[in-house]
Amino acid sequence: MKTALITGVSGGIGYAAAKELAKNYDYVAAISRGTSGLEDIGNIHIFTGSVTDFGFVEETVRQTVRETGSIDLLINNSAVSYVGLLTDMSEGDWHKTVSVNLSSVFNTCHAAVPHMVHQKAGRIINISSVWGLAGASCEVAYSATKGGINAFTKALAKELAPSGIAVNAIAFGAVDTRMNSHLSPEEKMQLEDEIPAGRMIDADEAAEIILKTAELPIYITGDIIKADGGWI
């Protein structure tokens, strides 16, 4: 049974990717804080809880494997952002950003990798950002976690290549989702003027890139695939 596990499906890229996965996989497990807005996705099995909860993630993976026999694809998409000066950021905001964006990737990989190693096959795709490559003013914590994801991806790819498991990250540029809803129409226009492609990418396009990455030859591993319209 062709099985995928994805986090962060409540909206944007994750929701669009979950819809595409449901068309291409026999079983799609999704970790989400709630089920609202996900009712229209068929063939999706929602596990309600937090990606920051190590024990919950472990049990989600165990249950998925019990029901399907394997995990073929893991997509780490959960993310939060904090926009503002570093000195205005609270300790709680910092820990939340690191926990949701980076520690969650450890949690899911720690749970899923042993099963992939056992089956000598699997793919892991970590959703990153160009800010993990270049850094963004007033998004220091977000940039740091995405940079951490990039390093995590490269290192884990080296560990898992002998077991036939590919680990890659996709560094998206500006995506037209709720995370960028703080931009005014004027700010959005200025941003799009900076992008050679002339626009932000939408969630459906991002989902298509994720699905195509999952089908790349297994020899492509440890890469940070930049999808930003030539921006950075």
Side-chain angles (χ1 to χ4, degrees):
M1 185 180 289
K2 195 176 178 185
T3 305
L5 171 63
I6 181 171
T7 68
V9 297
S10 61
I13 294 174
Y15 176 80
K19 285 198 301 182
E20 290 304 308
L21 287 170
K23 299 173 187 175
N24 294 275
Y25 283 72
D26 301 309
Y27 186 105
V28 178
I31 294 178
S32 177
R33 282 195 169 274
T35 60
S36 178
L38 302 174
E39 299 87 356
D40 62 331
I41 303 179
N43 192 34
I44 186 171
H45 304 264
I46 302 169
F47 293 84
T48 306
S50 175
V51 289
T52 66
D53 184 336
F54 182 86
F56 163 73
V57 172
E58 289 274 351
E59 180 54 34
T60 295
V61 171
R62 277 196 296 267
Q63 186 173 332
T64 299
V65 173
R66 279 198 301 266
E67 294 184 18
T68 67
S70 68
I71 289 186
D72 302 296
L73 172 64
L74 168 62
I75 299 172
N76 286 304
N77 177 65
S78 293
V80 294
S81 180
Y82 176 93
V83 179
L85 296 172
L86 177 69
T87 49
D88 290 335
M89 188 177 199
S90 70
E91 182 183 16
D93 286 331
W94 169 266
H95 286 305
K96 177 183 177 181
T97 304
V98 172
S99 185
V100 173
N101 294 7
L102 185 55
S103 296
S104 66
V105 178
F106 165 77
N107 292 345
T108 57
C109 288
H110 188 275
V113 162
H115 301 286
M116 291 183 173
V117 169
H118 178 74
Q119 65 200 30
K120 293 290 183 182
R123 284 176 164 79
I124 299 171
I125 299 174
N126 299 319
I127 305 306
S128 186
S129 165
V130 293
W131 295 146
L133 300 169
S137 175
C138 293
E139 291 190 69
V140 172
Y142 181 81
S143 300
T145 59
K146 294 303 182 178
I149 284 175
N150 294 344
F152 184 104
T153 297
K154 292 179 180 180
L156 188 60
K158 292 178 179 179
E159 283 189 25
L160 299 183
S163 296
I165 302 163
V167 187
N168 293 296
I170 304 173
F172 284 108
V175 186
D176 195 4
T177 63
R178 188 171 60 238
M179 189 173 283
N180 283 314
S181 63
H182 64 280
L183 297 173
S184 68
E186 293 77 17
E187 289 171 330
K188 182 178 177 182
M189 186 178 299
Q190 289 175 348
L191 174 60
E192 291 180 331
D193 284 343
E194 296 175 6
I195 302 170
R199 61 179 178 84
M200 301 169 77
I201 189 173
D202 65 36
D204 289 336
E205 288 177 294
E208 181 181 359
I209 292 170
I210 293 169
L211 268 290
K212 287 187 181 299
T213 300
E215 299 301 323
L216 289 173
I218 204 75
Y219 199 75
I220 298 175
T221 190
D223 279 338
I224 313 301
I225 300 166
K226 191 158 64 73
D228 67 347
W231 184 26
I232 300 299

